[in-house]
Amino acid sequence: MVDQQSRKIEDAMKKIVNEIDTDYLRKMQANMHRCAARCCDNSTDSMEQVHRCVQNCSASLTEAENFVKQEFNTVQNRLQRCIMECNDEIRDKAGPSPTDSDMNRYTAEFEKCATKCVDKHIEQLPAMLKRMKEVLKNKQQSSALYYPSS
């Protein structure tokens, strides 16, 4: 049951990662590479100027990738805290020496609680995706606007 719930949240998050990657991050990466190529095409700039130009080209993508990682870390941390609360509740109920039948009941209670945690967090993923799309849309537009001076 717990493995099934793990796969459920993992699949939901992978779907979001793929959507964010194809709709935003890849386009930003393409813009970054085009921008960096223009930096390298400038034969009058010094090596430091070209390096700084390339770094500027990658700034929006780096910010976007960090933002995505932060959002997913937040979801994972919240889910882990929720599951730890389930675990703590069961430990408090079980006491120092539970019987086998008690352990079976507590295991079922834990799985039910953990399933609620997963379901609750999966329900929150569309709002996270919407928030991410809004932020990434702005970052994507700004990454397309940066053109190094020639």
Side-chain angles (χ1 to χ4, degrees):
M1 179 89 131
V2 173
D3 289 338
Q4 182 182 4
Q5 291 302 310
S6 292
R7 275 193 302 279
K8 187 176 177 182
I9 190 86
E10 188 178 311
D11 290 345
M13 292 176 88
K14 277 184 183 177
K15 184 179 175 189
I16 291 174
V17 167
N18 288 334
E19 184 173 341
I20 292 298
D21 179 55
T22 56
D23 291 353
Y24 296 95
L25 297 179
R26 284 187 200 179
K27 292 173 184 171
M28 292 178 75
Q29 195 170 33
N31 289 339
M32 178 207 60
H33 287 294
R34 282 189 285 274
C35 177
R38 287 190 298 272
C39 296
C40 295
D41 287 341
N42 189 337
S43 60
T44 61
D45 284 351
S46 69
M47 183 172 66
E48 290 83 14
Q49 288 171 311
V50 170
H51 181 71
R52 195 170 28 256
C53 180
V54 169
Q55 283 182 318
N56 287 339
C57 293
S58 66
S60 290
L61 177 62
T62 301
E63 287 176 20
E65 289 172 337
N66 288 338
F67 168 72
V68 170
K69 286 177 191 173
Q70 183 180 17
E71 288 292 309
F72 278 103
N73 284 339
T74 298
V75 169
Q76 286 180 315
N77 289 338
R78 291 175 77 184
L79 177 59
Q80 287 173 346
R81 284 195 312 268
C82 184
I83 291 173
M84 287 304 296
E85 284 181 31
C86 296
N87 193 40
D88 290 344
E89 284 178 28
I90 296 304
R91 282 184 183 213
D92 291 345
K93 286 182 183 179
S97 54
T99 65
D100 286 344
S101 68
D102 286 341
M103 283 308 295
N104 290 338
R105 188 179 77 232
Y106 293 140
T107 298
E109 283 183 39
F110 172 78
E111 288 179 357
K112 184 177 178 183
C113 183
T115 297
K116 284 182 183 178
C117 289
V118 169
D119 291 343
K120 176 180 143 187
H121 284 80
I122 286 175
E123 288 173 11
Q124 294 172 350
L125 290 178
M128 180 190 76
L129 177 60
K130 182 180 178 187
R131 184 174 56 253
M132 289 171 65
K133 284 181 172 185
E134 289 172 9
V135 170
L136 292 173
K137 182 178 178 184
N138 291 333
K139 289 189 183 302
Q140 187 181 51
Q141 289 170 345
S142 69
S143 77
L145 296 177
Y146 181 78
Y147 292 99
S149 57
S150 303

